[in-house]
Amino acid sequence: MPNTFTLIEAKTLTTSSASVVFSNIPSSYTDLKILYTGKTTDTAAQGTAMTYNAGASSVAGKYIIGDGSNPSTGNLGYMYVGSAFGTNGTANVFSATEIYIPNYTSSQVKSYICVNAAEAQSSTSYSNVIVGRDTGITAPLTSITLFSTSGNWITNCTFYLYGIKSS
Amino acid sequence: MAEALMVTEINCTTGEVIERPFTAEEISQREADLAVVAAEKAEREAEIARIEALKTSARTKLVAGEPLTPEEAATIVL
């Protein structure tokens, strides 16, 4: 079982960006973990997404989402990684997201698990649990892209990539 | 003129961070990704609308004493 946890890179955005890419990910770990806090320039809450190796993804998986009154579940149509509020959210409140990607250097399909909480303190909040996999990529992961499905990430969003391996 | 799409790229080997405009290839990929998102969203919304219509129909039939279809009956939580 991997038991070390190393920060590979961290970035706080200083300019608004449509996407954030972790590129040239070293292959020296067994698993990856991403933590990020997100908020967008859109006027509404939006889904956020991830792609591997800068390529189109072919996705399978499930999500459970709760918005405080209407919990629902469904199949993934893309690599959904939760919700983020835009300008409709509370100022300076960001969504919190954690993504775990095991065996990212394997030649198998790459799965992920994700937990996300998007909270606007004066409005609806969203909670997500997602389990998915990209069935189209069996090459080792060398880059991961994170983006909002509408709008850009705003300044002060934070992105962390950790590597995990056996000591 | 539309504002250029920007990407923040964090090179995990060198630690270098580059803020740059999307390449043409990245723009094409983004358009493809967002098309998939839009299709998935439309499908999900259609499914929600279909279930809501079944619930409404089931309620109406229950009040009127009419038989429900199996799909309508499946929307009732016992």
Side-chain angles (χ1 to χ4, degrees):
Chain A
M1 179 70 183
N3 58 3
T4 66
F5 194 88
T6 304
L7 177 65
I8 298 174
E9 286 296 338
K11 174 65 179 172
T12 300
L13 295 187
T14 53
T15 59
S16 182
S17 286
S19 64
V20 169
V21 180
F22 288 108
S23 66
N24 290 324
I25 297 171
S27 59
S28 49
Y29 303 94
T30 59
D31 303 348
L32 296 174
K33 175 176 272 196
I34 296 168
L35 299 176
Y36 72 88
T37 60
K39 193 175 180 72
T40 79
T41 57
D42 202 86
T43 55
Q46 296 292 343
T48 59
M50 171 172 73
T51 59
Y52 295 151
N53 292 358
S57 54
S58 177
V59 177
K62 301 278 187 185
Y63 66 85
I64 302 172
I65 182 170
D67 67 359
S69 59
N70 294 301
S72 64
T73 181
N75 296 318
L76 294 178
Y78 58 96
M79 291 228 285
Y80 176 61
V81 287
S83 309
F85 275 85
T87 56
N88 61 324
T90 306
N92 301 318
V93 174
F94 292 67
S95 69
T97 304
E98 178 174 338
I99 303 166
Y100 193 86
I101 305 168
N103 299 320
Y104 73 103
T105 60
S106 78
S107 57
Q108 306 298 314
V109 163
K110 307 299 184 298
S111 61
Y112 74 99
I113 55 175
C114 173
V115 179
N116 158 269
E119 182 180 10
Q121 293 170 355
S122 60
S123 181
T124 306
S125 64
Y126 294 100
S127 304
N128 288 276
V129 177
I130 303 144
V131 179
R133 60 193 182 278
D134 188 324
T135 58
I137 293 179
T138 52
L141 297 191
T142 55
S143 79
I144 296 171
T145 301
L146 296 161
F147 61 95
S148 170
T149 58
S150 182
N152 296 338
W153 299 119
I154 66 167
T155 299
N156 289 328
C157 289
T158 56
F159 296 84
Y160 299 86
L161 176 66
Y162 296 89
I164 299 169
K165 65 180 177 180
S166 300
S167 58
Chain B
M1 187 174 164
E3 201 172 316
L5 287 169
M6 298 297 291
V7 56
T8 297
E9 181 176 348
I10 305 151
N11 187 317
C12 297
T13 300
T14 66
E16 184 182 18
V17 177
I18 302 170
E19 288 151 355
R20 58 169 174 78
F22 273 47
T23 63
E25 191 176 57
E26 287 170 335
I27 290 171
S28 296
Q29 184 62 55
R30 179 177 173 82
E31 287 170 353
D33 290 338
L34 294 184
V36 170
V37 169
E40 193 274 343
K41 188 177 180 184
E43 190 177 314
R44 180 159 30 94
E45 288 173 350
E47 178 63 7
I48 290 169
R50 188 185 72 82
I51 291 170
E52 282 305 310
L54 283 171
K55 286 180 180 175
T56 301
S57 177
R59 283 190 208 102
T60 303
K61 286 183 178 178
L62 280 171
V63 170
E66 296 173 9
L68 306 184
T69 67
E71 264 199 314
E72 289 166 342
T75 66
I76 298 171
V77 178
L78 298 174

